[in-house]
Amino acid sequence: ARLARAHGAEPGQALRQVVHDLRGPLTYLVGYAELLAGQPQPPEVVQQMAQEMLRAAEQLTTLLDALAHRPPR
């Protein structure tokens, strides 16, 4: 939804919104990867982290798909 609103915004603001929307899922991915790389975790924690990482990756894919299918101006 934010991405759709960003398409109607001025170019600088639209870019800031897209960067913001991409940064959230990336933060999850980096944070969980650092935790997993740092020390052993119980299997149930690893599974939960993997699910969160998949959700973040799906969010990124959705955002990138929306950008790629943006109609030309």
Side-chain angles (χ1 to χ4, degrees):
R2 281 194 234 164
L3 189 58
R5 285 194 304 269
H7 287 309
E10 65 181 64
Q13 179 152 355
L15 180 59
R16 282 190 296 278
Q17 186 64 54
V18 169
V19 169
H20 172 80
D21 288 349
L22 291 171
R23 204 168 266 153
L26 281 173
T27 300
Y28 272 102
L29 290 170
V30 170
Y32 284 123
E34 286 174 346
L35 286 172
L36 290 170
Q39 58 186 344
Q41 302 289 332
E44 61 276 3
V45 172
V46 171
Q47 183 177 11
Q48 181 181 356
M49 288 179 178
Q51 289 171 347
E52 291 295 328
M53 292 172 80
L54 284 171
R55 270 193 282 277
E58 288 169 356
Q59 285 179 318
L60 288 172
T61 299
T62 300
L63 288 167
L64 292 172
D65 285 347
L67 285 172
H69 294 103
R70 179 180 174 189
R73 291 184 176 220

